Amino acid sequence: MTTHQHNLEKYATLALKKGVNLQREQGLLINAPVEAADFVRIITAKAYGMGVKNVHIEWNDEMVSYMKMKNAPLSVLEDFPKWKVDALEGMAKDGYSILTVYGPNPDLLKGVNPERISKATKASGEALSSYRDYLMNDKVTWSIVAYPQEAWAKKVFPEESAEKAIEKLWEQIFKITRVDQDDPVEAWEKHNETLRKAREFLNQKQYKRLHYKAPGTDLTVGLVEDHIWHGGSTKSEKGVEFNPNMPTEEVFTMPHKYGVQGTVSSTKPLSYGGNLIENFTLTFENGKVVDYSAESGEETLKHLLQSDDGAKRLGEVALVPNESPVSKSGHIFFNTLYDENASCHLALGKAYPTNVKGGSTMSKEQMDQHGVNDSIVHEDFMMGSAELDIDGETKEGEFEPIFRKGQWAVEFE
Ligand code: ZN
Ligand code: ZN
């Protein structure tokens, strides 16, 4: 077996054991691009080896998606098929674990009318909202792992040949997900332990607000009452421990949908719906974006913000030290799964109900009263840097340093 083949095997094992934590006699749904067929077969073989009852693959082919997005009648793009919703919801309802193999071309839809993209995204967002609830409420175990295909790899390593770019991207992925270590499963247990300490510290503090200062950023983010910080592994409704993202370096919680004030500037490009938004600034008043601009992709940003009311408000606040393995790699990945783990970030759109006590059982009205944001979108954007300072404001109104120059200013016990 070549080293690469050996690493792929380890990566598949890691995704099943520490990612979705597959249990005997359950089902497994894999969302994957056709380029990842070899890898998906390795995962499938292992899953059956672990006693799974069924593996279902939802294949996607970017070129086919592109053709549809470019050519299909708008009415088709606006009508997400019910049979597909039923199938996905059916599997989630039956307790399937959901593993997404992810590595899209960040420029796939360049040149496609953003209006068509936003209508299609809106239609799928609405149609799949209860399916997404299974994931965002941790009713099932789910995980996302990356797989480098040519267009993505070439975006990260534009100076290399396609073959070399893919090889280099794999090298980064194996390193950052700890697959290159002797025992990645054990390495992840240790890593989860570190993140557990950070989130327990913040859970105990129950800061009322976070204050962000960096060049182009002066922002206050209120946190909802009884917020819960998550990070690293989490537990499903049935008590199965899993890691929703691989890699993951963040601890994150819930901003108050009406409690955000000031201006924030992005520090990395945001790839949204096949288009890049770069060097953008958002200004918030009472939690809502009231002004925005972008050096490029402003039209795409506008469509993102106009998806619905909740798209103009925040649904996640995440802390990531600037010295994380992803940022140490020195690369911009043009892929949220990687870039979000290199940088403190915020998300526009839907909040994770698990980030507040009792969030999973709140009615829409209760959510709103509590400051829990709801939307058909959830888009992380990066705003961390080596110049970012963050203070936590206690309930008594005292300020305590949390981050200085992009690094934790706190020692965890
Ligand atoms: Zn995040
Ligand atoms: Zn997020």
Side-chain angles (χ1 to χ4, degrees), residues 185-203:
V185 170
E186 192 190 283
W188 269 82
E189 274 160 18
K190 266 199 202 130
H191 177 53
N192 278 330
E193 201 47 31
T194 310
L195 290 168
R196 185 183 61 80
K197 285 182 187 160
R199 70 175 196 242
E200 283 180 356
F201 169 83
L202 291 163
N203 280 333

Side-chain angles (χ1 to χ4, degrees), residues 250 252 316 318 340 345 380:
E250 62 173 352
F252 62 101
E316 175 189 340
E340 77 156 335
H345 55 274
D380 290 27

Side-chain angles (χ1 to χ4, degrees), residues 75-358:
S75 58
V76 171
L77 298 182
E78 284 176 315
D79 184 28
F80 194 88
K82 178 151 187 320
W83 53 262
K84 188 154 184 181
V85 176
D86 290 343
L88 293 173
E89 267 180 40
M91 284 183 274
K93 208 170 174 177
D94 192 26
Y96 273 53
S97 283
I98 301 166
L99 179 65
T100 298
V101 179
Y102 182 76
N105 172 4
D107 290 321
L108 179 73
L109 301 178
K110 214 175 182 172
V112 176
N113 180 350
E115 180 135 18
R116 288 172 61 80
I117 302 168
S118 95
K119 292 225 157 107
T121 314
K122 191 169 177 174
S124 66
E126 280 167 0
L128 294 175
S129 78
S130 34
Y131 167 70
R132 210 174 37 237
D133 272 348
Y134 279 92
L135 284 83
M136 290 189 79
N137 285 299
D138 297 338
K139 288 183 188 165
V140 295
T141 71
W142 57 282
S143 194
I144 310 177
V145 297
Y147 185 95
Q149 46 98 348
E150 185 177 326
W152 177 30
K154 284 283 288 176
K155 185 82 188 172
V156 185
F157 299 103
E159 69 287 358
E160 304 289 356
S161 69
E163 199 187 343
K164 188 77 193 164
I166 291 174
E167 194 186 309
K168 284 185 107 169
L169 189 47
W170 267 126
E171 208 178 286
Q172 291 300 325
I173 288 174
F174 288 148
K175 192 168 173 187
I176 290 166
T177 57
R178 301 169 169 81
V179 166
D180 66 349
Q181 299 186 23
D182 284 344
D183 188 344
V185 170
E186 192 190 283
W188 269 82
E189 274 160 18
K190 266 199 202 130
H191 177 53
N192 278 330
E193 201 47 31
T194 310
L195 290 168
R196 185 183 61 80
K197 285 182 187 160
R199 70 175 196 242
E200 283 180 356
F201 169 83
L202 291 163
N203 280 333
Q204 208 167 24
K205 284 284 180 185
Q206 285 292 308
Y207 287 118
K208 203 166 137 193
R209 290 187 197 92
L210 301 181
H211 297 268
Y212 290 79
K213 278 222 164 64
T217 293
D218 188 350
L219 187 76
T220 300
V221 178
L223 303 178
V224 297
E225 210 174 314
D226 293 329
H227 61 263
I228 300 168
W229 288 86
H230 286 296
S233 64
T234 186
K235 275 188 180 152
S236 74
E237 222 171 40
K238 286 190 181 137
V240 179
E241 194 178 342
F242 68 104
N243 274 284
N245 287 350
M246 302 190 112
T248 188
E249 303 290 336
E250 62 173 352
V251 289
F252 62 101
T253 194
M254 193 187 287
H256 195 290
K257 70 183 273 197
Y258 299 116
V260 185
Q261 303 285 353
T263 297
V264 59
S265 295
S266 70
T267 51
K268 281 183 204 292
L270 164 61
S271 168
Y272 177 65
N275 279 294
L276 283 178
I277 312 170
E278 292 177 276
N279 297 322
F280 59 97
T281 297
L282 304 171
T283 301
F284 291 85
E285 259 174 44
N286 301 322
K288 190 174 169 182
V289 175
V290 291
D291 196 17
Y292 63 89
S293 66
E295 258 171 40
S296 65
E298 195 171 281
E299 192 64 15
T300 305
L301 177 60
K302 179 178 137 194
H303 283 287
L304 165 58
L305 291 167
Q306 287 178 347
S307 306
D308 59 14
D309 256 9
K312 296 175 200 70
R313 298 181 185 275
L314 295 183
E316 175 189 340
V317 36
L319 304 180
V320 182
N322 201 49
E323 287 291 294
S324 82
V326 187
S327 43
K328 271 200 273 189
S329 79
H331 298 293
I332 292 179
F333 286 92
F334 303 96
N335 178 310
T336 300
L337 179 62
Y338 274 71
D339 290 330
E340 77 156 335
N341 286 304
S343 167
C344 284
H345 55 274
L346 301 166
L348 288 166
K350 187 176 169 70
Y352 286 96
T354 51
N355 277 134
V356 64
K357 231 183 249 172

